[in-house]
């Protein structure tokens, strides 16, 4: 099975059913497949064939999905580009990947103008000015696929600490294996309607798109997150599920309570990106009911998920309530371990690095053999995340290795500190980071966003932490800010904060 077969299968099974919905307009699966075939003709007219590379610099829209499926049909490699990158970063990604054709959106005229003379691309196509005209003139003849499961499907670039971003190579088999895992875990079927709110260049959102085409479900697309608009779409489009990060869930809960919305057809939120504070998990379950929310864990290199916590395990009271801090157990074709520096499995409750195997694990990093060997040493994906397993096999994320705070020789988990701070009634968002300290190496700083209308002093918040944490783990200082830096999917960027406070 390959991804390029999905549009044709959906068009045959559900020709008149909505495939996509965007800004009040929709297209059926039959219409979608026709446009994908036309786009394949456009690719051929530009001299593209199997193995070529097509990049997208686009905000969320149905055309992103059309391009994804057309490249998959032809065996062309998709390169979705993070539209938040600055021109220098865009230039690096485009030239590093070796792009043959770049689709760009009207919102990025300034960026394209800045890099046009410095990028090595055979063709650039404007979505606003050229896309529809090209499709209108193209043949919609169905292709005979010449694609294998182990062929490269896409290269997703992730942030690198040195030498620029790394391109993660994912095959058709990687992505479809992940999609099957998601379909089982999320219990998806043809009646499901998924809202895509996170950027489609992200593996999580791209994976959910593949899931919807795998089962014949509808994709509702928005190009920006708005909690009020979310509840309106639940009512109008009968949404059933959404993947998001916890700052978005916080807003959704607040709007739900403020405006008296009803849950309606909506079944569940899945939360990824960062470990969700248990206080927010509890409030979500209290607000929307049992089974309404569950966490997932993964990374781009795993297409992206490795574990999930079944909805039936998400309870507020009783013995299972301890699982509110867990990201669950490994998905069905995955093998997840926690190991020490000698690659031996740690004991229950002991910290170690999370490593994984499975058909969803990447082929490697594009043009980076050394980094590939390091990341896949011994046949296991090295996640760089620190975690623990309990005696029932439930995984708990401690933190990224690089985000652990080391003070006086003690490893301190930022997540543990944040869990405590979120329990304070005035705290809306927070991040704990390590800042340089001459005596101890590092000391703990908390950066905090307060809830609207709430106040608390630095001294009182530190005292609150001291009542709930060992003294060496407590913040030595607190900064109050209006917003925390976040990436396009809403994850708090601690690296930005660490750079900001490194002096």
């Amino acid at each position: 099975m390959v991804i390029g077969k999905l549009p044709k299968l959906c068009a045959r099974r559900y020709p008149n059913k909505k495939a996509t919905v965007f800004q009040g307009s929709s297209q059926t699966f039959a219409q979608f497949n026709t446009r994908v075939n036309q786009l394949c003709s456009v690719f051929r007219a530009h001299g593209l064939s199997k193995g070529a590379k097509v990049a997208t610099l686009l905000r969320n829209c149905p055309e992103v999905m059309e391009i994804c499926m057309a490249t998959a049909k032809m065996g062309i490699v998709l390169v979705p580009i993070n539209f938040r990158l600055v021109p220098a970063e865009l230039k690096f990604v485009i030239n590093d990947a070796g792009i043959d054709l770049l689709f760009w959106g009207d919102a990025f005229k300034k960026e394209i103008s800045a890099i046009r003379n410095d990028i090595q691309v055979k063709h650039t196509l404007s979505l606003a000015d050229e896309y529809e005209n090209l499709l209108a003139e193209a043949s919609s003849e169905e292709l005979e696929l010449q694609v294998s499961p182990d062929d490269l499907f896409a290269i997703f670039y992730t942030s690198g600490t040195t030498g620029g971003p790394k391109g993660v190579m994912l095959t058709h088999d990687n992505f479809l294996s992940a999609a099957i895992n998601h379909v089982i875990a999320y219990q998806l079927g043809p009646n499901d309607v998924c809202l895509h709110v996170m950027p489609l260049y992200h593996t999580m959102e791209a994976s959910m798109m593949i899931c919807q085409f795998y089962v014949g479900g509808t994709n509702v697309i928005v190009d920006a997150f708005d909690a009020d608009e979310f509840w309106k779409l639940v009512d109008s489009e009968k949404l059933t599920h959404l993947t998001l990060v916890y700052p978005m869930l916080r807003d959704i809960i607040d709007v739900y309570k403020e405006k008296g919305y009803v849950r309606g057809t909506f079944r569940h939120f899945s939360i990824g990106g960062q470990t969700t504070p248990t206080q927010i998990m509890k409030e979500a379950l209290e607000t929307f009911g049992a089974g309404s929310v569950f966490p997932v864990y993964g990374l781009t290199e795993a297409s992206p998920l490795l574990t999930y916590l079944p909805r039936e395990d998400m309870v507020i009271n009783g013995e299972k309530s301890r699982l509110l801090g867990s990201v669950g157990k490994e998905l069905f074709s995955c093998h997840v371990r926690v190991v020490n520096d000698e690659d031996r499995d740690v004991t229950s409750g002991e910290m170690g690095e999370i490593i994984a195997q499975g058909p969803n694990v990447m082929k490697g990093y594009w043009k980076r053999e050394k980094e590939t060997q390091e990341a896949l040493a011994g046949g296991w994906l090295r996640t760089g995340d620190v975690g623990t397993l309990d005696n029932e096999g439930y995984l708990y994320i401690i933190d990224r290795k690089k985000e652990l705070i080391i003070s006086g020789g003690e490893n301190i988990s930022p997540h543990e500190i944040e869990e405590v701070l979120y329990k304070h009634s005035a705290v809306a968002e927070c991040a704990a980071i390590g800042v340089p300290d001459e005596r101890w190496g590092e000391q703990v700083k908390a950066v905090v966003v307060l809830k609207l209308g709430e106040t608390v002093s630095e001294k009182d918040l530190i005292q609150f932490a001291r009542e709930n944490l060992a003294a060496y783990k407590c913040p030595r200082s607190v900064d109050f800010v209006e917003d925390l830096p976040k990436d396009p999917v809403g994850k708090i960027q601690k690296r930005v904060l660490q750079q900001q406070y490194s002096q």
Side-chain angles (χ1 to χ4, degrees), residues 177-187 305-308 310 312 329-336 357-360:
S177 297
I180 292 169
N181 272 334
H182 300 178
V183 166
I184 298 170
Y186 288 34
Q187 301 174 23
L305 294 189
L306 291 169
T307 73
Y308 83 112
E312 57 267 24
K329 294 186 177 183
E330 59 195 15
L331 284 157
F332 306 96
S333 61
C334 302
H335 186 183
V336 175
Q357 279 183 340
N360 53 314

Side-chain angles (χ1 to χ4, degrees), residues 272-286:
Q274 290 171 302
T275 304
T276 304
T278 54
Q279 194 66 23
I280 293 178
M281 297 293 284
K282 286 179 180 178
E283 188 172 355
L285 291 170
E286 288 169 348

Side-chain angles (χ1 to χ4, degrees), residues 218-489:
T218 299
N219 298 277
V220 178
I221 306 161
V222 294
D223 66 356
F225 171 70
D226 182 277
D228 194 49
E229 182 64 18
F230 163 75
W231 286 113
K232 291 176 181 177
L233 287 169
V234 169
D235 183 55
S236 63
E237 299 298 337
K238 310 303 179 189
L239 301 181
T240 59
H241 64 287
L242 164 67
T243 296
L244 74 176
V245 290
Y246 73 78
M248 295 178 182
L249 182 61
R250 170 79 273 162
D251 292 343
I252 283 173
I253 292 170
D254 290 344
V255 169
Y256 180 87
K257 291 179 176 179
E258 178 187 344
K259 299 195 174 180
Y261 284 112
V262 294
R263 182 173 164 182
T265 57
F266 196 80
R267 289 210 322 273
H268 66 257
F269 303 94
S270 59
I271 307 181
Q274 290 171 302
T275 304
T276 304
T278 54
Q279 194 66 23
I280 293 178
M281 297 293 284
K282 286 179 180 178
E283 188 172 355
L285 291 170
E286 288 169 348
T287 303
F288 305 122
S292 59
V293 58
F294 64 96
V296 297
Y297 162 71
L299 63 166
T300 300
E301 289 86 341
S303 306
L305 294 189
L306 291 169
T307 73
Y308 83 112
L309 186 63
R311 293 189 292 280
E312 57 267 24
D313 285 341
M314 293 299 296
V315 296
I316 300 172
N317 301 309
E319 193 272 334
K320 276 193 172 184
S321 61
R322 64 183 173 81
L323 297 176
L324 287 178
S326 169
V327 291
K329 294 186 177 183
E330 59 195 15
L331 284 157
F332 306 96
S333 61
C334 302
H335 186 183
V336 175
R337 298 165 58 203
V338 178
V339 300
N340 59 21
D341 291 340
E342 288 76 41
D343 265 9
R344 295 191 181 94
D345 291 329
V346 300
T347 59
S348 174
E350 185 182 351
M351 288 195 305
E353 183 178 8
I354 301 165
I355 64 175
Q357 279 183 340
N360 53 314
V361 170
M362 69 170 181
K363 189 174 183 177
Y365 294 116
W366 174 251
K367 297 197 302 187
R368 297 202 179 197
E369 187 174 341
K370 181 183 177 183
E371 287 91 336
T372 296
Q373 290 175 350
E374 291 172 351
L376 300 176
W380 290 84
L381 172 63
R382 311 287 158 159
T383 68
D385 291 327
V386 177
T388 64
L389 286 169
D390 67 16
N391 55 14
E392 294 183 67
Y394 288 94
L395 179 66
Y396 297 78
I397 308 299
I398 303 301
D399 260 302
R400 292 289 298 173
K401 266 187 174 182
K402 293 173 183 176
E403 290 177 359
L404 284 176
I405 302 166
I406 304 176
S407 182
E410 295 282 0
N411 288 343
I412 303 171
S413 165
H415 174 64
E416 186 178 4
I417 301 163
E418 291 155 7
E419 279 281 329
V420 169
L421 295 179
Y422 269 107
K423 292 177 181 177
H424 194 285
S425 60
V427 173
E429 289 186 329
C430 65
I433 59 171
V435 295
D437 182 89
E438 288 187 6
R439 182 178 182 184
W440 302 109
E442 286 186 304
Q443 64 171 254
V444 180
K445 173 180 280 291
V447 187
V448 175
V449 177
L450 295 178
K451 293 178 181 176
L452 189 64
E454 296 285 350
T455 59
V456 64
S457 70
E458 177 185 34
K459 179 181 177 181
D460 287 346
L461 199 55
I462 291 174
Q463 180 57 36
F464 179 81
R466 284 183 173 275
E467 293 169 2
N468 294 275
L469 286 169
Y472 75 91
K473 298 179 182 179
C474 290
R476 301 289 186 89
S477 60
V478 179
D479 269 20
F480 297 99
V481 298
E482 292 186 2
D483 294 291
L484 292 172
K486 297 185 178 85
D487 68 11
V489 299

